[in-house]
Protein backbone atom coordinates (compact mmCIF):
# COMPACT_ATOMS: atom_id res chain seq x y z
CA UNK A 1 0.00 0.00 0.00
CA UNK A 2 1.21 3.45 -0.76
CA UNK A 3 0.04 5.35 2.31
CA UNK A 4 2.57 6.57 4.78
CA UNK A 5 2.33 7.41 8.42
CA UNK A 6 2.36 11.08 7.43
CA UNK A 7 -0.51 10.71 4.98
CA UNK A 8 -2.58 8.83 7.54
CA UNK A 9 -1.99 11.51 10.09
CA UNK A 10 -2.99 14.06 7.55
CA UNK A 11 -6.17 12.32 6.56
CA UNK A 12 -7.37 11.28 9.97
CA UNK A 13 -5.88 13.56 12.56
CA UNK A 14 -6.07 16.79 10.63
CA UNK A 15 -2.75 18.00 11.97
CA UNK A 16 -1.53 21.42 10.84
CA UNK A 17 1.30 20.11 8.65
CA UNK A 18 -1.06 17.87 6.72
CA UNK A 19 -0.71 17.95 2.92
CA UNK A 20 -4.41 17.15 2.84
CA UNK A 21 -5.18 16.82 -0.89
CA UNK A 22 -2.25 14.46 -1.36
CA UNK A 23 -3.18 12.57 1.76
CA UNK A 24 -6.75 11.91 0.73
CA UNK A 25 -5.63 10.71 -2.69
CA UNK A 26 -3.21 8.28 -1.11
CA UNK A 27 -5.30 7.04 1.74
CA UNK A 28 -8.08 4.53 1.47
CA UNK A 29 -9.82 3.52 4.68
CA UNK A 30 -9.85 -0.12 5.70
CA UNK A 31 -13.65 -0.15 5.44
CA UNK A 32 -13.40 0.92 1.81
CA UNK A 33 -10.65 -1.61 1.07
CA UNK A 34 -12.72 -4.31 2.72
CA UNK A 35 -15.79 -3.35 0.69
CA UNK A 36 -13.81 -3.69 -2.54
CA UNK A 37 -13.09 -7.29 -1.57
CA UNK A 38 -16.73 -7.96 -0.64
CA UNK A 39 -16.14 -7.80 3.10
CA UNK A 40 -16.51 -5.35 5.95
CA UNK A 41 -14.02 -3.82 8.32
CA UNK A 42 -14.93 -2.26 11.63
CA UNK A 43 -13.94 -1.49 15.16
CA UNK A 44 -15.43 -1.60 18.59
CA UNK A 45 -16.37 1.94 19.59
CA UNK A 46 -17.30 3.84 22.71
CA UNK A 47 -19.75 6.70 22.75
CA UNK A 48 -16.82 9.16 22.94
CA UNK A 49 -15.11 7.63 19.91
CA UNK A 50 -18.06 8.46 17.70
CA UNK A 51 -19.55 11.61 19.19
CA UNK A 52 -19.42 14.76 17.05
CA UNK A 53 -17.04 16.35 19.55
CA UNK A 54 -14.91 13.22 19.93
CA UNK A 55 -11.20 13.78 19.17
CA UNK A 56 -10.94 10.56 17.17
CA UNK A 57 -14.20 10.56 15.25
CA UNK A 58 -12.39 11.14 11.93
CA UNK A 59 -10.31 8.04 12.45
CA UNK A 60 -13.28 5.81 13.34
CA UNK A 61 -15.24 7.34 10.46
CA UNK A 62 -12.41 7.12 7.93
CA UNK A 63 -11.32 3.57 8.72
CA UNK A 64 -14.56 1.69 9.41
CA UNK A 65 -17.61 0.57 7.51
CA UNK A 66 -18.93 -1.15 10.65
CA UNK A 67 -19.04 -0.08 14.30
CA UNK A 68 -19.67 -2.27 17.33
CA UNK A 69 -20.52 -0.73 20.70
CA UNK A 70 -17.79 -2.00 23.05
CA UNK A 71 -20.00 -1.98 26.09
CA UNK A 72 -23.23 -0.04 25.64
CA UNK A 73 -25.45 -2.86 24.30
CA UNK A 74 -24.56 -5.38 26.99
CA UNK A 75 -27.34 -6.28 29.40
CA UNK A 76 -25.56 -4.90 32.47
CA UNK A 77 -24.81 -1.65 30.64
CA UNK A 78 -28.48 -1.11 29.83
CA UNK A 79 -29.83 -2.47 33.11
CA UNK A 80 -27.32 -2.05 35.97
CA UNK A 81 -29.61 -3.77 38.48
CA UNK A 82 -32.17 -6.42 37.64
CA UNK A 83 -35.61 -4.83 37.43
CA UNK A 84 -34.30 -1.35 36.51
CA UNK A 85 -35.86 0.39 33.53
CA UNK A 86 -33.29 0.03 30.71
CA UNK A 87 -31.25 3.15 29.97
CA UNK A 88 -30.68 3.28 26.21
CA UNK A 89 -29.18 6.76 26.01
CA UNK A 90 -25.52 5.85 25.40
CA UNK A 91 -26.50 3.20 22.93
CA UNK A 92 -28.94 5.47 21.09
CA UNK A 93 -26.16 8.06 20.73
CA UNK A 94 -23.92 5.52 18.97
CA UNK A 95 -26.79 4.37 16.77
CA UNK A 96 -27.55 7.98 15.80
CA UNK A 97 -23.91 8.71 14.98
CA UNK A 98 -23.69 5.52 12.90
CA UNK A 99 -26.84 6.44 10.96
CA UNK A 100 -25.51 9.93 10.28
CA UNK A 101 -22.32 8.53 8.80
CA UNK A 102 -23.71 5.51 6.98
CA UNK A 103 -22.00 2.97 9.24
CA UNK A 104 -23.45 -0.46 9.72
CA UNK A 105 -23.72 -1.72 13.30
CA UNK A 106 -22.87 -5.12 14.75
CA UNK A 107 -24.81 -5.63 17.95
CA UNK A 108 -22.85 -7.07 20.85
CA UNK A 109 -24.21 -9.00 22.73
CA UNK A 110 -27.74 -10.00 23.70
CA UNK A 111 -26.66 -12.80 26.04
CA UNK A 112 -23.33 -12.93 27.90
CA UNK A 113 -22.50 -14.32 31.31
CA UNK A 114 -20.29 -11.32 32.14
CA UNK A 115 -21.47 -7.82 33.00
CA UNK A 116 -24.94 -8.96 33.97
CA UNK A 117 -27.36 -6.70 35.84
CA UNK A 118 -26.71 -7.02 39.57
CA UNK A 119 -28.94 -9.82 40.79
CA UNK A 120 -29.06 -11.70 37.46
CA UNK A 121 -26.40 -14.15 38.63
CA UNK A 122 -29.10 -15.68 40.86
CA UNK A 123 -31.59 -16.37 38.06
CA UNK A 124 -32.11 -20.12 37.76
CA UNK A 125 -35.59 -21.14 36.59
CA UNK A 126 -37.57 -21.18 33.36
CA UNK A 127 -39.91 -18.64 34.96
CA UNK A 128 -36.90 -16.33 35.52
CA UNK A 129 -36.05 -16.65 31.84
CA UNK A 130 -39.61 -15.69 30.83
CA UNK A 131 -39.78 -12.82 33.28
CA UNK A 132 -36.33 -11.26 32.76
CA UNK A 133 -34.26 -12.68 29.90
CA UNK A 134 -36.82 -13.14 27.12
CA UNK A 135 -38.14 -9.55 27.48
CA UNK A 136 -34.57 -8.24 27.45
CA UNK A 137 -33.77 -9.95 24.14
CA UNK A 138 -37.06 -8.88 22.60
CA UNK A 139 -36.69 -5.27 23.73
CA UNK A 140 -33.07 -4.72 22.66
CA UNK A 141 -33.20 -6.61 19.36
CA UNK A 142 -36.54 -4.94 18.61
CA UNK A 143 -35.42 -1.42 19.46
CA UNK A 144 -32.46 -1.70 17.10
CA UNK A 145 -34.09 -3.87 14.43
CA UNK A 146 -33.43 -1.33 11.68
CA UNK A 147 -30.00 -0.29 12.95
CA UNK A 148 -28.18 -3.55 13.63
CA UNK A 149 -27.36 -5.74 10.63
CA UNK A 150 -25.62 -8.49 12.61
CA UNK A 151 -26.12 -9.55 16.23
CA UNK A 152 -23.96 -11.55 18.56
CA UNK A 153 -26.96 -13.29 20.05
CA UNK A 154 -25.00 -15.43 22.48
CA UNK A 155 -21.44 -14.65 23.51
CA UNK A 156 -19.04 -17.27 24.91
CA UNK A 157 -21.35 -20.29 25.25
CA UNK A 158 -18.49 -22.80 25.21
CA UNK A 159 -16.30 -23.74 28.20
CA UNK A 160 -15.04 -27.34 28.36
CA UNK A 161 -13.42 -26.66 31.75
CA UNK A 162 -16.90 -26.35 33.27
CA UNK A 163 -17.08 -30.13 32.99
CA UNK A 164 -20.30 -30.69 30.99
CA UNK A 165 -20.36 -33.44 28.38
CA UNK A 166 -21.67 -30.84 25.91
CA UNK A 167 -18.66 -28.55 26.65
CA UNK A 168 -21.10 -25.72 27.28
CA UNK A 169 -20.40 -23.02 29.81
CA UNK A 170 -22.45 -23.26 32.98
CA UNK A 171 -24.07 -19.84 33.33
CA UNK A 172 -27.32 -18.52 34.81
CA UNK A 173 -28.79 -18.89 31.30
CA UNK A 174 -27.84 -22.56 31.31
CA UNK A 175 -29.33 -22.91 34.79
CA UNK A 176 -32.62 -21.43 33.56
CA UNK A 177 -33.21 -23.50 30.42
CA UNK A 178 -30.33 -25.98 30.10
CA UNK A 179 -28.61 -26.06 26.72
CA UNK A 180 -31.90 -24.97 25.07
CA UNK A 181 -31.25 -21.39 26.12
CA UNK A 182 -29.14 -20.82 23.01
CA UNK A 183 -31.90 -21.91 20.62
CA UNK A 184 -34.46 -19.88 22.56
CA UNK A 185 -32.29 -16.76 22.42
CA UNK A 186 -31.90 -17.08 18.64
CA UNK A 187 -35.64 -17.62 18.14
CA UNK A 188 -36.46 -14.53 20.19
CA UNK A 189 -33.84 -12.48 18.34
CA UNK A 190 -35.23 -13.53 14.98
CA UNK A 191 -38.75 -12.65 15.98
CA UNK A 192 -37.69 -9.18 17.11
CA UNK A 193 -35.16 -8.46 14.35
CA UNK A 194 -36.11 -10.64 11.37
CA UNK A 195 -33.64 -9.03 8.96
CA UNK A 196 -30.53 -9.23 11.14
CA UNK A 197 -27.86 -11.90 10.69
CA UNK A 198 -27.63 -13.84 13.92
CA UNK A 199 -24.29 -15.05 15.29
CA UNK A 200 -22.82 -17.19 18.01
CA UNK A 201 -19.64 -15.46 19.15
CA UNK A 202 -16.70 -17.02 20.98
CA UNK A 203 -12.94 -17.02 21.49
CA UNK A 204 -9.97 -19.43 21.57
CA UNK A 205 -10.85 -21.39 18.45
CA UNK A 206 -7.67 -20.86 16.36
CA UNK A 207 -4.57 -22.26 18.02
CA UNK A 208 -3.38 -25.85 17.96
CA UNK A 209 -3.32 -26.17 21.77
CA UNK A 210 -5.28 -29.16 23.08
CA UNK A 211 -7.59 -26.98 25.18
CA UNK A 212 -8.57 -25.06 22.05
CA UNK A 213 -9.22 -28.32 20.19
CA UNK A 214 -11.83 -29.15 22.84
CA UNK A 215 -13.38 -25.72 22.39
CA UNK A 216 -13.57 -26.29 18.62
CA UNK A 217 -15.26 -29.65 19.22
CA UNK A 218 -17.74 -28.04 21.61
CA UNK A 219 -18.52 -25.24 19.16
CA UNK A 220 -19.00 -27.58 16.19
CA UNK A 221 -21.27 -29.81 18.26
CA UNK A 222 -23.39 -26.86 19.34
CA UNK A 223 -23.64 -25.41 15.83
CA UNK A 224 -24.64 -28.77 14.40
CA UNK A 225 -27.34 -29.26 17.02
CA UNK A 226 -28.74 -25.77 16.41
CA UNK A 227 -28.84 -26.20 12.64
CA UNK A 228 -30.43 -29.62 12.90
CA UNK A 229 -33.16 -28.16 15.10
CA UNK A 230 -33.84 -25.46 12.50
CA UNK A 231 -32.66 -22.61 14.72
CA UNK A 232 -32.18 -19.35 12.79
CA UNK A 233 -28.42 -18.94 13.03
CA UNK A 234 -26.32 -17.40 10.27
CA UNK A 235 -22.77 -17.13 11.47
CA UNK A 236 -19.93 -17.85 13.82
CA UNK A 237 -18.12 -14.85 15.26
CA UNK A 238 -14.53 -15.60 16.18
CA UNK A 239 -13.30 -12.97 18.60
CA UNK A 240 -9.62 -13.49 17.67
CA UNK A 241 -8.03 -12.16 20.82
CA UNK A 242 -4.72 -13.55 19.57
CA UNK A 243 -1.66 -14.32 21.70
CA UNK A 244 1.95 -14.66 20.57
CA UNK A 245 2.60 -17.30 23.26
CA UNK A 246 0.32 -19.90 21.68
CA UNK A 247 1.14 -22.42 18.98
CA UNK A 248 -0.54 -21.95 15.61
CA UNK A 249 -0.85 -24.67 12.97
CA UNK A 250 -2.55 -23.45 9.83
CA UNK A 251 -3.86 -26.89 8.85
CA UNK A 252 -5.74 -27.21 12.16
CA UNK A 253 -7.39 -23.82 11.77
CA UNK A 254 -8.12 -24.39 8.07
CA UNK A 255 -9.84 -27.68 8.85
CA UNK A 256 -12.06 -25.99 11.45
CA UNK A 257 -13.02 -23.17 9.09
CA UNK A 258 -13.88 -25.68 6.40
CA UNK A 259 -16.27 -27.43 8.80
CA UNK A 260 -17.99 -24.10 9.53
CA UNK A 261 -18.17 -23.30 5.81
CA UNK A 262 -19.68 -26.72 5.12
CA UNK A 263 -22.42 -25.95 7.62
CA UNK A 264 -23.34 -23.03 5.37
CA UNK A 265 -22.52 -20.41 8.00
CA UNK A 266 -20.83 -17.03 7.73
CA UNK A 267 -17.60 -16.47 9.58
CA UNK A 268 -16.62 -13.09 11.01
CA UNK A 269 -13.61 -12.00 12.99
CA UNK A 270 -15.27 -9.92 15.64
CA UNK A 271 -12.78 -8.65 18.25
CA UNK A 272 -9.29 -8.80 16.79
CA UNK A 273 -6.30 -7.76 18.89
CA UNK A 274 -2.98 -9.35 19.84
CA UNK A 275 -1.54 -10.01 23.29
CA UNK A 276 2.24 -9.68 22.92
CA UNK A 277 3.47 -7.84 26.02
CA UNK A 278 3.98 -10.74 28.45
CA UNK A 279 6.84 -12.22 26.42
CA UNK A 280 8.20 -9.02 24.93
CA UNK A 281 11.21 -8.50 27.17
CA UNK A 282 14.27 -7.21 25.35
CA UNK A 283 12.36 -6.21 22.22
CA UNK A 284 12.00 -2.62 21.05
CA UNK A 285 8.50 -1.20 20.67
CA UNK A 286 8.79 -1.19 16.89
CA UNK A 287 9.79 -4.87 16.85
CA UNK A 288 6.92 -5.65 19.14
CA UNK A 289 4.46 -3.99 16.80
CA UNK A 290 5.87 -5.96 13.89
CA UNK A 291 5.51 -9.13 15.91
CA UNK A 292 1.87 -8.39 16.70
CA UNK A 293 1.22 -7.78 13.01
CA UNK A 294 2.96 -11.04 12.08
CA UNK A 295 0.83 -12.95 14.60
CA UNK A 296 -2.35 -11.52 13.11
CA UNK A 297 -1.11 -12.17 9.57
CA UNK A 298 -0.47 -15.83 10.37
CA UNK A 299 -3.98 -16.46 11.63
CA UNK A 300 -5.91 -14.06 9.39
CA UNK A 301 -4.32 -15.16 6.14
CA UNK A 302 -5.94 -18.58 6.69
CA UNK A 303 -9.30 -16.99 7.56
CA UNK A 304 -9.08 -14.72 4.48
CA UNK A 305 -8.84 -17.81 2.27
CA UNK A 306 -12.34 -18.75 3.36
CA UNK A 307 -15.15 -17.63 1.06
CA UNK A 308 -17.33 -17.56 4.18
CA UNK A 309 -15.36 -14.76 5.84
CA UNK A 310 -17.75 -11.81 5.90
CA UNK A 311 -15.59 -9.27 7.68
CA UNK A 312 -13.15 -8.24 10.37
CA UNK A 313 -13.64 -6.07 13.44
CA UNK A 314 -10.81 -4.97 15.72
CA UNK A 315 -11.49 -4.43 19.42
CA UNK A 316 -10.68 -0.73 19.25
CA UNK A 317 -8.29 1.05 16.90
CA UNK A 318 -5.61 2.49 19.20
CA UNK A 319 -3.56 0.71 21.84
CA UNK A 320 -4.17 3.68 24.07
CA UNK A 321 -7.80 2.54 24.49
CA UNK A 322 -7.21 -1.20 24.42
CA UNK A 323 -9.01 -3.28 27.05
CA UNK A 324 -5.95 -5.58 27.01
CA UNK A 325 -3.94 -2.97 28.88
CA UNK A 326 -6.13 -3.44 31.93
CA UNK A 327 -5.65 -7.18 31.96
CA UNK A 328 -2.68 -7.34 34.30
CA UNK A 329 0.57 -5.68 35.31
CA UNK A 330 2.46 -7.23 32.37
CA UNK A 331 -0.08 -5.83 29.85
CA UNK A 332 0.12 -2.09 30.51
CA UNK A 333 2.06 -1.30 27.33
CA UNK A 334 0.68 -4.02 25.06
CA UNK A 335 1.01 -3.23 21.33
CA UNK A 336 -1.81 -5.18 19.76
CA UNK A 337 -4.01 -2.88 17.65
CA UNK A 338 -3.72 -1.16 14.24
CA UNK A 339 -2.89 2.26 15.74
CA UNK A 340 -0.34 3.12 18.42
CA UNK A 341 -0.83 5.22 21.54
CA UNK A 342 -0.48 8.46 19.59
CA UNK A 343 -3.04 7.30 17.02
CA UNK A 344 -0.38 6.72 14.36
CA UNK A 345 -0.81 3.75 12.09
CA UNK A 346 1.04 0.60 13.20
CA UNK A 347 2.16 -2.43 11.15
CA UNK A 348 -1.04 -4.31 11.97
CA UNK A 349 -2.91 -1.68 9.97
CA UNK A 350 -0.73 -2.41 6.93
CA UNK A 351 -1.30 -6.14 7.39
CA UNK A 352 -5.07 -5.67 7.35
CA UNK A 353 -4.87 -3.40 4.32
CA UNK A 354 -2.83 -5.89 2.31
CA UNK A 355 -5.04 -8.81 3.31
CA UNK A 356 -8.12 -6.95 2.11
CA UNK A 357 -6.33 -5.78 -1.02
CA UNK A 358 -5.12 -9.24 -1.98
CA UNK A 359 -8.18 -11.42 -1.40
CA UNK A 360 -11.74 -11.65 -2.61
CA UNK A 361 -14.76 -13.37 -1.16
CA UNK A 362 -17.62 -14.93 -3.00
CA UNK A 363 -19.73 -14.40 0.05
CA UNK A 364 -22.28 -11.59 -0.11
CA UNK A 365 -21.94 -9.16 2.78
C1 LIG B 1 -14.77 -5.88 27.09
C2 LIG B 1 -14.71 -4.38 26.85
O1 LIG B 1 -13.66 -4.06 25.99
C3 LIG B 1 -14.54 -3.66 28.15
O2 LIG B 1 -14.61 -2.26 27.94
C4 LIG B 1 -15.62 -4.11 29.12
O3 LIG B 1 -15.42 -3.57 30.34
C5 LIG B 1 -15.60 -5.61 29.26
O4 LIG B 1 -15.78 -6.20 28.03
N1 LIG B 1 -14.73 -10.53 24.93
C6 LIG B 1 -15.90 -9.89 24.62
C7 LIG B 1 -16.01 -8.43 24.82
O5 LIG B 1 -16.79 -10.51 24.06
O6 LIG B 1 -17.32 -8.04 25.12
C8 LIG B 1 -15.07 -7.92 25.89
O7 LIG B 1 -15.11 -6.50 25.89
C9 LIG B 1 -13.67 -8.42 25.63
C10 LIG B 1 -13.63 -9.93 25.64
Amino acid sequence: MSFTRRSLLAAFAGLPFAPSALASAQTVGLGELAARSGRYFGSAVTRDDVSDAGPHLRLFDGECSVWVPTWQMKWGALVPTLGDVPDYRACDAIVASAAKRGKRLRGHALIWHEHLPAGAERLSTAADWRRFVAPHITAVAGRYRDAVFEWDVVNEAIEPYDGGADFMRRTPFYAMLGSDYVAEAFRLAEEAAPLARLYLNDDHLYYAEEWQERRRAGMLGLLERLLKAGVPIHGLGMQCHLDTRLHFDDSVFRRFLKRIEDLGLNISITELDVTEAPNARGRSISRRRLRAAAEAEKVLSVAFDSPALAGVVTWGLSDDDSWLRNRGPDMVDNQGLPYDDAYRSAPLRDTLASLFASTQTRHPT
Side-chain angles (χ1 to χ4, degrees):
M1 293 304 300
S2 61
F3 44 74
T4 61
R5 189 157 284 186
R6 188 175 163 87
S7 68
L8 278 164
L9 278 172
F12 296 131
L15 293 175
F17 58 78
S20 51
L22 179 65
S24 54
Q26 282 180 347
T27 307
V28 180
L30 290 173
E32 169 61 24
L33 279 176
R36 290 178 192 171
S37 74
R39 291 175 164 137
Y40 62 74
F41 173 79
S43 168
V45 299
T46 64
R47 181 183 184 164
D48 283 354
D49 292 332
V50 300
S51 84
D52 284 339
H56 305 299
L57 174 64
R58 291 182 72 187
L59 179 66
F60 285 93
D61 189 18
E63 284 288 46
C64 303
S65 55
V66 165
W67 287 343
V68 186
T70 310
W71 159 250
Q72 293 75 9
M73 283 184 169
K74 291 168 180 168
W75 195 12
L78 297 167
V79 179
T81 301
L82 202 63
D84 284 352
V85 177
D87 179 351
Y88 293 108
R89 282 173 300 179
C91 204
D92 286 352
I94 295 177
V95 170
S97 179
K100 192 164 159 190
R101 293 171 179 87
K103 305 297 167 195
R104 296 199 294 164
L105 282 177
R106 288 197 89 248
H108 174 80
L110 293 171
I111 294 284
W112 191 29
H113 62 285
E114 288 191 28
H115 300 291
L116 294 170
E121 64 286 350
R122 289 193 296 276
L123 301 178
S124 60
T125 65
D128 288 337
W129 174 279
R130 286 192 298 274
R131 174 154 176 229
F132 293 106
V133 187
H136 157 67
I137 296 173
T138 301
V140 180
R143 183 178 185 92
Y144 298 119
R145 60 187 283 158
D146 298 324
V148 169
F149 81 107
E150 197 166 279
W151 265 111
D152 289 332
V153 178
V154 177
N155 193 28
E156 302 184 346
I158 299 298
E159 184 45 273
Y161 287 120
D162 281 357
D166 54 8
F167 288 174
M168 287 183 65
R169 189 186 296 275
R170 294 324 195 235
T171 65
F173 307 110
Y174 197 99
M176 286 180 253
L177 292 189
S179 59
D180 288 347
Y181 87 85
V182 179
E184 268 313 297
F186 275 82
R187 290 197 185 102
L188 288 163
E190 191 203 32
E191 231 171 80
L195 298 180
R197 299 198 303 216
L198 305 180
Y199 274 55
L200 253 190
N201 195 53
D202 218 316
D203 200 12
H204 309 305
L205 298 163
Y206 344 101
Y207 289 102
E209 320 282 327
E210 206 279 324
W211 61 277
Q212 298 215 358
E213 188 55 36
R214 296 202 297 144
R215 296 181 58 81
R216 282 188 284 275
M219 179 54 80
L220 282 167
L222 175 57
L223 290 171
E224 279 164 8
R225 290 195 298 280
L226 292 171
L227 288 165
K228 203 162 153 212
V231 172
I233 173 166
H234 311 115
L236 171 65
M238 299 184 301
Q239 294 180 6
C240 280
H241 295 293
L242 304 180
D243 190 326
T244 55
R245 293 167 295 182
L246 301 176
H247 172 58
F248 183 68
D249 174 338
D250 61 347
S251 63
V252 171
F253 189 39
R254 208 176 284 284
R255 208 176 316 130
F256 176 68
L257 295 181
K258 181 73 174 56
R259 296 279 303 272
I260 305 294
E261 252 170 74
D262 290 347
L263 294 174
L265 293 170
N266 271 0
I267 296 166
S268 295
I269 290 174
T270 53
E271 305 184 16
L272 176 69
D273 53 23
V274 182
T275 288
E276 59 70 49
N279 62 352
R281 207 143 37 132
R283 293 188 168 91
S284 67
I285 293 285
S286 58
R287 292 204 73 77
R288 288 172 53 184
R289 288 202 199 105
L290 285 168
R291 194 151 180 266
E295 184 67 26
E297 217 268 335
K298 202 164 67 180
V299 179
L300 265 59
S301 59
V302 176
F304 270 71
D305 280 345
S306 171
L309 184 79
V312 177
V313 171
T314 55
W315 209 239
L317 286 177
S318 157
D319 284 321
D320 193 38
D321 297 328
S322 174
W323 76 297
L324 292 174
R325 291 198 165 178
N326 302 321
R327 301 214 80 206
D330 54 356
M331 290 293 285
V332 292
D333 70 342
N334 194 69
Q335 308 288 328
L337 282 171
Y339 282 77
D340 71 9
D341 288 48
Y343 285 77
R344 289 176 307 221
S345 133
L348 178 51
R349 200 262 176 208
D350 299 347
T351 297
L352 289 166
S354 36
L355 282 166
F356 282 124
S358 63
T359 57
Q360 284 271 321
T361 177
R362 296 190 301 276
H363 211 280
T365 53

